[in-house]
Amino acid sequence: MNFLARHRIVLPIVSLAVLLAATFWMQPRAMSYFGVNLLFNLAVPIALATIAQMLIIMVNDIDLSTGAFVSLAACVTATLLNDAPLFGALVLAGLVLAYAVLGAVIHALALPAIVVTLGMSFVWGGLALVLLPSPGGASPGWIRTLMTVKPPLVPMAVVAAILIAAVTHLLVIRSGIGTMLRGVGGNARAVARSGGSVMRLKALAYGLAGLFNVLAGMALVGLTTSADANIALRYTLLSIAGVILGGGEFTGGKVSPTGAVIGALTLTLAASFLSFLRLSPDWQIGAQGAILILVLTARLLFTRRSGPA
Amino acid sequence: MSALIARPWIWSWLAAALAFALTVSLTGGRGAGELAYAALSFGAFAAIVGMGQMLVITLGPGNVDLSIPATMTLAGTLALKAMGSDPGTAAMGLAIALAVGLGVGLANFALIYLLRLPPIIATLAASLIYQSLAIWSNRGLRIKPPEGLADFSTGRTLAVPNVAWVGLAIAVVVWVVLERSTWGRWLMATGQNMRAARLAGVPVQRVRFATYLAVAVLAGLTGYLLASFSGGAALNMGQEYLLMSIAVVVIGGSSIAGGYSNVPGVWGAALFMFLVVSMLNSYGAPAGLRLVLTGTIIIGIVIAASTRRVRT
């Protein structure tokens, strides 16, 4: 298990490295502080949302409301948090709490998460529309400063990605509570027998996911300086793809936070790479799909070679 | 009576009837016929893709087709382009739309079976490619459907929209196949326990193959009908059917965990999804509130259905 677990991370790293090398080869000028920052700038909110999705997938559920919820968090950040910081912060905390409650309800009533989050995506989308009927709002100054800070040597996006990966790795893989959480995905009954409350753990997983989604919305506003109700809709699919690309499995609590962050970086880079290719815009989306299939095919070869997974 | 209540499909029909009554009561009974007609027209599209999605979801956990919107768009675009508004080409257009469906189904299943990708990811990644194909072949043109086809898809027979007749015919076929044929029994068995089904001699992979073909063909057909109905194919024409197709399956009383499907419920849920939006519209709810209420109602129905299941 340890052998496989350690090698699971190799493929995401290799895919990212290959894509990065190809990008630099196509566009050598991107190989600079400024270039790398530009390539990975939008990766920070995507990485945060991917971590959130990973936390849900970790407990054997799936979240189809990520895009709508991140959009709502972005709208709250660009309006309430900017105009009345205290009230805005309370609303964002309320959203995190709502996610935790959702997790508890899904477990208590044995509801299918895919449907509940599907329904919630309407609710979040509607709330965002009520809050911000037309694109607008403004980013609070401190978030803008934080997202555009220029640390020495390494660009902010890379520092943030490493930070996110390190924190979630400690939380999910190294800590006791993280092991319990992964246990819920692996064998919920065993966790319950050993004295853990599956309901509380699921609420915790969902609450953490809500927190990371809120952070994703805030980071997104910091980059774009304004928001609209549909700003992050594609995050639902991106986050699921990022988790799988990073070596996660849909069932069994087998996830990798580091892999998920790398998966998010790969997806962001794929978009930049395709625009460097001067591919006709018609094929941009399709080529992203092809890259996704290619990487996952590589994973198949990989798992076969290293024995049954 | 209690036997009727125990039927999982009754709830979506009751909800649809309630939404209908609430809308009509606002106008004092005027416009009831028009509302029912519109619900049958628009509900038909949701019902046809919903039945496809239902078959896939019945295959068991993890099975879902996220490429339905892209398939609809691609089939509608290619069919209308080939027909080029020329009269007498409707049958050829239909053949092209169905062929697109078959091709998509084959490609999806190849990814799932040969590359062992989880269906969610396989259909998601492939749908990006189908969408690109549609964008490439569409090129911003808006080709009108041939006149006869446009008349058929917007017309009515015996006061019922023609598209609703198509949806009804498909529902009957799907119901017979599911409830009365060996293949239907195999599908249910696969969804309930794939390992047990395989050990019992069910050709599990062939069942899965046929199911992924069926959902794509139904999506292709819906794309063809919808493009003819709305006077041309648009690149975003399938968009709302991703959530819609999953929602009608669940509201219709099929099990999201697979193994149990429900054909009449899908139709009731499709009518309900249209009626609830027109109800909120006629009560003057703004767009945001309308979405919030739609989501709340969906979750409410899912909770109601699940507590009923726990009690029995």
Side-chain angles (χ1 to χ4, degrees), chain B residues 14-84:
Chain B
L14 281 178
L18 186 67
F20 183 78
L22 283 173
T23 315
V24 171
S25 72
L26 194 70
T27 58
R30 269 177 295 116
E34 285 81 354
L35 181 64
Y37 186 79
L40 282 171
S41 302
F42 287 97
F45 302 118
I48 301 175
V49 284
M51 279 182 279
Q53 191 71 278
M54 178 193 74
L55 293 176
V56 175
I57 287 178
T58 303
L59 278 176
N63 285 293
V64 66
D65 187 348
L66 298 185
S67 71
I68 285 180
T71 311
M72 287 171 65
T73 311
L74 184 61
T77 305
L78 290 184
L80 261 70
K81 198 175 181 186
M83 291 188 290

Side-chain angles (χ1 to χ4, degrees), chain A residues 85-228:
Chain A
L86 189 65
F87 179 61
L90 274 178
V91 171
L92 289 175
L95 287 178
V96 173
L97 194 67
Y99 244 70
V101 170
L102 213 58
V105 170
I106 285 175
H107 177 73
L109 298 177
L111 300 175
I114 188 167
V115 189
V116 175
T117 56
L118 185 71
M120 285 315 288
S121 75
F122 287 92
V123 174
W124 305 133
L127 288 176
L129 215 52
V130 169
L131 204 59
L132 207 58
S134 57
S139 163
W142 60 276
I143 299 181
R144 179 82 192 136
T145 315
L146 193 66
M147 292 308 292
T148 50
V149 74
K150 289 196 167 49
L153 296 175
V154 191
M156 142 67 191
V158 177
V159 175
I162 293 172
L163 204 66
I164 296 167
V167 167
T168 47
H169 181 82
L170 285 178
L171 181 75
V172 172
I173 308 292
R174 292 282 161 172
S175 77
I177 194 78
T179 310
M180 291 285 274
L181 283 171
R182 281 182 290 132
V184 172
N187 190 340
R189 194 175 294 170
V191 171
R193 286 277 162 77
S194 65
S197 161
V198 177
M199 175 140 83
R200 251 183 248 159
L201 286 168
K202 268 209 164 175
L204 179 64
Y206 273 77
L208 284 171
L211 176 67
F212 278 100
N213 276 332
V214 164
L215 292 177
M218 292 169 74
L220 186 58
V221 172
L223 290 171
T224 59
T225 68
S226 70
D228 75 87

Side-chain angles (χ1 to χ4, degrees), chain B residues 104-148:
Chain B
V104 164
L106 267 172
N108 282 346
F109 191 70
L111 292 177
I112 294 166
Y113 181 67
L114 297 177
L115 297 186
R116 306 275 150 85
L117 299 186
I120 295 183
I121 285 289
T123 54
L124 162 64
S127 81
L128 298 177
I129 297 176
Y130 309 146
Q131 186 70 27
S132 263
L133 276 171
I135 295 173
W136 172 69
S137 61
N138 185 299
R139 275 263 154 245
L141 298 174
R142 196 161 172 93
I143 304 167
K144 283 202 165 66
E147 210 163 293

